[in-house]
């Protein structure tokens, strides 16, 4: 294995390390389990102490942030509530207030912890900016990058990194910091930080995160690569949105080499703040990605050549105690100047990674000409993992063992060698040319194990079907083309011209992107309307097709007091599967010739319909996290089954709790529904508008 030293330092590194047990006082109010818990900090501290890292660093004391500095990014009302929420005044209402937020809890220690977290990042950033320290690590919680101007969300109360960045730029001009790079490698999009600097060219914000076509938390459209800043800040907001989980070292290194590093060199920051979430680490229960501890170390090493090595790491997410401790340990050694060995089991990025990187470069090349250069050819890539691989439940014990194993001998050896040159030489040549992509598959299997429907524990509980999408024969299309079903639409597909887009491709007025269409482009063989006993709701807050606003879902639960209109189209079961593929974004574009690639096996076949005729629904396990992963059986018409697709019952609970947003539809989306209801002669224009508005306004609790 080739090896090369980490960047040399002229003098011994003075690395600051801030830990304060007072930030462990923030915990769930009744001691219930939660991924964001005090043991996250303690496990890191134990690791750094046991390995002698803490004693090699400059110990820093936590400080509370002053209100005026927090107010640079948060509203006065938000600051007041966060600082008072732990007081006796809120003892009886604290939990109720928490439930109004998205993924937030409060207790009697929350206020102090939040103010300490924000103040501590200010403290370490100020010392690094002043040259008192070469770099620093702030072990803080609660995390911050999801917190917005007037809202706590996603475990975050104050946006710690944003507060510190504003402090350095606006309160301490004497430090000479005029340009700041914020690198957010947490697996979730840094929505709060993005919004706080969206029009500020002094801050280059870079977030690499799971996006999953807008379905991964925080499930907002502005995590897309198309959101690049506005006004003077246009081009200074960079999102690298992964299409799926399982991304690892090679994928992140590719994003560094082909997006972040060239732009950083052109931007030439004075200091780098890292929103250091470690939930993209191998074994994390929430992230589903595969970065190793030494993978994080290499990402950090690549940043050290900028800003004179002035780097501040502020802890964000990361919920596997072993992986977060090992990853912070690996990064601390890099900042201290130690050398390390980098090896990876799989150094090929996913083909989707290259597609995302190309899209990001195309979006930004006007603002960063360095991204407009032609990229070399003949790249060997990994094929996208199948949905069953993506969503399979992993054995947590074996994952923990893997994390410990991949941390390597670092637990007992202080100085190891970095193979950065060898890895970079390999990866830097992996430039994307969409006309010359070679995709390598891990297996030559052309069949997949088909799992029968799961056993039913509770007749009224949602039924889960496990099925793998993989390289099966296309014979299923011929078989399913001879079977007809009624597809019941309750959303924009109620308007027939819009529905035809799913069959024949294209788009109608109001749509931003076209549909791919079905392999079978024949028109429906019949159309009729029906009223069903399910609640209509509008959820999520953005779609690539319709923009800002909610889209239609049916509550899977039958309720005789509810009445929702559905337009039913008689189509083949093959066409129904193609609509299901498109609704859940399983159809991929082939960059070479513009063709589209469909999954090679159906999600719904005759056996699934037979199963649904008894159980009334199937939650499709291979795509369980997709928006329309729940297929409902609404009865029969002309001896043919009536099927529709909606969200799983678990999403309804998330809507009720506020974890997922309910939002009224956009004007263009609502107009499409109105056209469907009016042209289908179900309601007049006013009645249709009232029907939609009432559905959007009603609480799910009602």
């Amino acid at each position: 294995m080739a090896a090369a030293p980490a960047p040399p330092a002229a003098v011994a590194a003075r690395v600051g390390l801030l830990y304060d047990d007072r930030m462990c006082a923030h915990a769930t109010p009744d001691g219930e389990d939660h991924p964001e818990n005090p043991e996250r900090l303690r496990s890191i501290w134990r690791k750094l102490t046991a390995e002698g890292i803490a004693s090699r660093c400059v110990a820093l004391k936590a400080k509370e942030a002053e209100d005026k500095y927090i107010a640079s990014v948060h509203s006065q009302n938000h600051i007041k509530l966060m600082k008072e929420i732990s007081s006796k005044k809120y003892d009886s209402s604290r939990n109720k207030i928490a439930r109004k937020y998205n993924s937030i809890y409060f207790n009697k220690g929350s206020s102090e912890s939040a103010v300490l977290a924000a103040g501590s990042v200010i403290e370490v950033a100020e010392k690094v900016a002043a040259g008192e320290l070469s770099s620093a690590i702030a072990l803080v919680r609660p995390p911050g990058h999801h917190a917005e101007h007037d809202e706590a969300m996603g475990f975050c109360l104050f946006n710690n990194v944003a507060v510190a960045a504003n402090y350095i730029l606006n309160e301490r001009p004497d430090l000479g910091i005029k340009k700041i790079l914020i690198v957010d490698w947490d697996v979730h999009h840094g929505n709060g930080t993005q919004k706080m600097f969206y029009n500020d060219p002094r801050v280059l914000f870079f977030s690499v995160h799971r996006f999953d076509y807008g379905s991964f938390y925080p499930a907002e459209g502005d995590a897309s690569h198309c959101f690049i800043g506005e006004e003077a800040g246009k081009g200074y907001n960079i999102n690298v949105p992964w299409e799926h989980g399982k991304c690892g070292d090679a994928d992140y290194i590719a994003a560094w080499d082909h997006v972040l590093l060239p732009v950083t060199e052109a931007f030439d920051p004075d200091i780098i703040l890292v929103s250091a979430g470690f939930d993209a680490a191998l074994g994390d229960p929430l992230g589903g990605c595969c970065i190793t501890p030494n993978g994080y170390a290499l990402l950090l090493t690549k940043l050290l050549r900028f800003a004179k090595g002035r780097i501040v790491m502020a802890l964000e997410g990361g919920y596997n105690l072993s992986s977060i401790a090992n990853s912070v340990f690996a990064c601390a050694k890099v900042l201290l100047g130690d050398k390390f060995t980098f090896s990876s089991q799989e150094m090929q990025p996913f083909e989707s990674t290259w597609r995302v990187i190309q899209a990001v470069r195309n979006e930004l090349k006007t603002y960063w000409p360095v991204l407009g250069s032609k990229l070399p050819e003949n790249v060997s890539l990994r094929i996208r993992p199948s949905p069953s691989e993506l969503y399979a439940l992993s054995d947590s014990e074996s994952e923990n063992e893997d994390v410990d194993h991949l941390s390597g001998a670092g637990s007992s050896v202080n100085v190891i060698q970095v193979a950065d040159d060898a890895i970079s030489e390999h990866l830097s040549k992996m430039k994307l040319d969409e006309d010359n992509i070679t995709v390598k598959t891990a297996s030559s299997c052309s069949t997949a194990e088909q799992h029968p429907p799961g056993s039913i524990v509770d007749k009224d509980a949602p039924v889960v079907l496990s099925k793998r999408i993989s390289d099966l024969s296309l014979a299923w299309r011929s078989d399913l083309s001879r079977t007809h079903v009624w597809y019941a639409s309750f959303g924009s597909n109620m308007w027939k011209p819009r529905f035809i887009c799913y069959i024949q491709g294209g788009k109608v007025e109001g749509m931003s992107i076209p549909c791919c269409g079905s392999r079978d482009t024949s028109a429906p063989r019949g159309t009729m309307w029906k009223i069903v006993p399910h609640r209509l709701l509008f959820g999520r807050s953005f779609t690539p097709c319709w923009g800002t606003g909610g889209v239609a879902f049916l509550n899977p639960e039958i309720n005789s007091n509810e009445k929702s209109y559905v337009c039913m189209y008689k189509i083949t079961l093959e066409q129904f599967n193609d609509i299901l593929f498109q609704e859940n974004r399983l159809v991929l574009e082939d960059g070479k010739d513009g063709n589209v690639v469909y999954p090679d096996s159906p999600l719904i076949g005759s056996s699934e319909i037979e199963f649904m005729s008894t159980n009334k629904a199937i939650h499709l396990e291979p795509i369980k996290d997709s928006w329309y992963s729940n297929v409902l059986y609404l009865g029969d018409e002309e001896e043919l089954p009536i099927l529709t697709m909606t969200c799983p019952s678990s999403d309804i609970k998330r809507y009720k709790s506020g974890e997922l947003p309910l939002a009224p539809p956009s004007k263009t989306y609502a107009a499409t529904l109105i056209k469907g209801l009016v042209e289908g002669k179900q309601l007049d224009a006013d009645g249709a508008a009232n029907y939609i508005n009432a559905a959007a306004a009603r609480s799910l609790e009602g």
Side-chain angles (χ1 to χ4, degrees):
M1 179 185 299
V11 294
R14 281 178 52 82
V15 179
L17 179 62
L18 190 148
Y19 170 83
D20 192 315
D21 200 60
R22 287 179 292 171
M23 282 180 276
C24 295
H26 173 61
T28 53
D30 299 314
E32 59 267 42
D33 291 338
H34 194 281
E36 205 295 283
N37 62 72
E39 279 304 303
R40 297 175 60 243
L41 283 194
R42 291 171 179 150
S43 66
I44 298 170
W45 184 246
R46 286 194 296 267
K47 177 73 172 178
L48 299 185
T49 301
E51 298 293 344
I53 294 295
S55 62
R56 297 171 59 193
C57 295
V58 178
L60 300 175
K61 294 182 179 180
K63 288 187 178 180
E64 293 189 355
E66 295 182 37
D67 288 6
K68 63 180 180 181
Y69 301 141
I70 302 175
S72 67
V73 298
H74 290 293
S75 70
Q76 291 292 344
N77 287 340
H78 179 69
I79 296 170
K80 186 175 187 294
L81 179 59
M82 292 303 104
K83 291 192 69 174
E84 294 181 356
I85 195 67
S86 297
S87 66
K88 290 183 179 180
K89 173 182 176 182
Y90 288 99
D91 279 352
S92 61
S93 59
R94 191 177 298 125
N95 291 346
K96 183 178 180 180
I97 292 172
R99 286 194 293 271
K100 294 180 180 179
Y101 290 106
N102 185 334
S103 303
I104 288 293
Y105 64 77
F106 298 119
N107 75 336
K108 293 183 178 181
S110 298
S111 295
E112 182 182 34
S113 294
V115 176
L116 284 170
S120 295
V121 181
I122 289 177
E123 175 72 4
V124 298
E126 185 176 33
K127 289 186 179 300
V128 172
E132 297 177 33
L133 299 169
S134 54
S135 58
I137 301 173
L139 301 178
V140 297
R141 61 177 295 276
H145 70 150
H146 290 312
E148 299 192 348
H149 176 68
D150 198 36
E151 184 177 4
M153 64 179 288
F155 311 160
C156 303
L157 305 189
F158 291 135
N159 196 311
N160 308 317
V161 166
V163 170
N166 266 286
Y167 175 82
I168 294 172
L169 286 171
N170 301 320
E171 301 295 332
R172 291 297 310 274
D174 56 301
L175 295 175
I177 302 296
K178 300 184 183 302
K179 292 184 291 183
I180 296 177
L181 167 64
I182 298 177
V183 176
D184 189 333
W185 68 38
D186 189 282
V187 78
H188 302 98
H189 179 234
N191 56 290
T193 314
Q194 170 173 300
K195 290 175 182 176
M196 289 166 179
F197 299 107
Y198 204 58
N199 60 359
D200 192 339
R202 300 174 300 168
V203 177
L204 175 62
F205 177 66
F206 174 90
S207 179
V208 55
H209 48 268
R210 279 188 66 179
F211 184 54
D212 296 26
Y213 301 103
S215 65
F216 198 75
Y217 191 87
E220 295 179 354
D222 61 5
S224 164
H225 71 283
C226 299
F227 286 77
I228 61 172
E230 63 185 9
E231 299 175 356
K234 205 161 189 178
Y236 292 88
N237 192 88
I238 303 177
N239 287 320
V240 179
W242 298 143
E243 295 179 357
H244 52 73
K246 302 296 184 184
C247 294
D249 295 347
D251 303 284
Y252 281 78
I253 292 167
W256 255 235
D257 288 349
H258 302 302
V259 179
L260 176 58
L261 300 186
V263 172
T264 299
E265 187 165 9
F267 181 63
D268 190 22
D270 298 312
I271 192 171
I272 299 173
L273 307 183
V274 181
S275 273
F278 293 95
D279 40 7
L282 181 68
D284 189 90
L286 300 188
C289 287
C290 303
I291 305 181
T292 65
N294 281 345
Y296 281 114
L298 184 54
L299 299 180
L300 186 59
T301 298
K302 287 174 175 289
L303 292 175
L304 276 174
R305 72 182 219 235
F306 303 104
K308 300 178 182 178
R310 292 188 288 197
I311 292 179
V312 172
M313 297 182 65
L315 189 67
E316 298 284 1
Y319 309 101
N320 178 306
L321 300 185
S322 177
S323 63
I324 193 174
N326 287 329
S327 298
V328 174
F329 171 52
C331 290
K333 291 197 300 177
V334 167
L335 296 181
L336 285 166
D338 292 0
K339 301 169 185 177
F340 66 98
T341 297
F342 181 87
S343 61
S344 178
Q345 295 173 325
E346 179 57 77
M347 281 313 300
Q348 291 175 315
F350 285 113
E351 54 85 17
S352 61
T353 293
W354 285 112
R355 182 168 55 252
V356 168
I357 287 173
Q358 184 67 72
V360 173
R361 289 172 64 97
N362 286 340
E363 193 72 35
L364 290 163
K365 63 186 179 183
T366 301
Y367 308 95
W368 303 102
V370 67
L371 299 182
S373 58
K374 182 168 173 59
L375 305 173
E377 306 174 353
N378 297 322
V379 183
S380 182
L381 302 169
R382 284 188 292 165
I383 196 167
R384 174 192 175 102
S386 71
S388 59
E389 291 173 314
L390 288 174
Y391 301 123
L393 293 175
S394 301
D395 185 300
S396 60
E397 291 184 359
S398 64
E399 282 190 344
N400 287 339
E401 290 171 4
D402 288 343
V403 170
D404 289 331
H405 171 71
L406 285 168
S407 66
S411 298
S412 57
V413 179
N414 287 332
V415 180
I416 330 175
Q417 289 292 321
V418 132
D420 187 30
D421 282 357
I423 300 304
S424 291
E425 181 182 0
H426 175 65
L427 286 171
S428 64
K429 292 178 181 177
M430 289 185 176
K431 309 283 188 174
L432 174 64
D433 187 310
E434 291 187 340
D435 293 333
N436 294 279
I437 293 180
T438 303
V439 177
K440 267 192 177 181
T441 60
S443 171
S444 59
C445 269
S446 60
T447 60
E449 179 182 358
Q450 299 296 313
H451 300 283
S455 58
I456 305 171
V457 179
D458 181 342
K459 185 176 180 181
D460 296 324
V463 177
V464 175
L465 175 74
S466 293
K467 187 179 218 178
R468 183 180 178 189
I469 301 174
S470 58
D471 299 328
L472 292 178
S473 167
L474 295 183
W476 69 269
R477 287 191 173 274
S478 176
D479 293 339
L480 299 190
S481 69
R482 296 190 289 270
T483 301
H484 286 84
V485 299
W486 290 100
Y487 162 55
S489 171
F490 47 83
S492 62
N493 283 343
M494 290 191 295
W495 187 39
K496 189 172 181 179
R498 161 65 175 118
F499 167 72
I500 292 298
C501 295
Y502 271 126
I503 301 298
Q504 299 177 355
K507 63 180 182 178
V508 294
E509 182 181 358
M511 294 171 60
S512 298
I513 55 177
C515 295
C516 299
S518 170
R519 288 277 185 88
D520 177 359
T521 59
S522 22
R525 290 157 178 79
T527 304
M528 63 189 310
W529 286 80
K530 187 179 180 72
I531 292 177
V532 296
H534 291 267
R535 163 71 191 278
L536 176 68
L537 62 132
F538 294 93
R540 307 286 179 163
S541 58
F542 177 92
T543 62
C545 182
W546 298 102
T548 301
V551 289
F553 296 93
L554 280 188
N555 188 332
E557 181 181 350
I558 295 174
N559 185 337
S560 59
N561 295 321
E562 297 289 350
K563 293 182 179 180
S564 294
Y565 293 91
V566 295
C567 181
M568 305 194 310
Y569 302 97
K570 186 191 289 187
I571 59 175
T572 68
L573 193 50
E574 177 192 10
Q575 290 175 317
F576 181 83
N577 274 279
D578 283 341
I579 295 171
L580 192 56
F581 294 154
Q582 292 174 79
E583 285 281 21
N584 291 292
R585 296 191 166 272
L586 299 177
V587 182
L588 304 178
E589 291 188 12
D590 185 334
K592 183 176 181 180
D593 54 18
N595 290 335
V596 293
V597 180
Y598 297 82
D600 286 335
S601 62
L603 288 166
I604 299 294
S606 56
S607 60
E608 285 77 23
I609 291 179
E610 183 178 353
F611 178 77
M612 281 191 288
S613 66
T614 301
N615 298 283
K616 306 306 179 188
I618 286 179
H619 184 200
L620 298 165
E621 181 70 12
I623 58 169
K624 66 179 181 181
D625 289 343
S626 297
W627 291 11
Y628 294 92
S629 60
N630 200 15
V631 178
L632 305 185
Y633 184 98
L634 300 178
D636 296 286
E637 186 67 40
E638 298 177 357
E639 298 184 350
L640 296 178
I642 304 170
L643 307 180
T644 194
M645 56 197 76
T646 186
C647 62
S649 298
S650 58
D651 278 5
I652 298 298
K653 294 178 181 178
R654 296 169 70 195
Y655 284 123
K656 289 180 178 179
S657 70
E659 182 181 349
L660 289 178
L662 291 168
S666 66
K667 290 182 179 179
T668 52
Y669 184 77
T672 306
L673 273 68
I674 292 171
K675 288 178 183 177
L677 290 163
V678 172
E679 293 180 15
K681 299 182 180 179
Q682 302 302 300
L683 296 168
D684 61 21
D686 289 340
N690 290 337
Y691 168 72
I692 293 165
N693 292 336
R698 284 174 57 199
S699 165
L700 279 177
E701 302 292 347

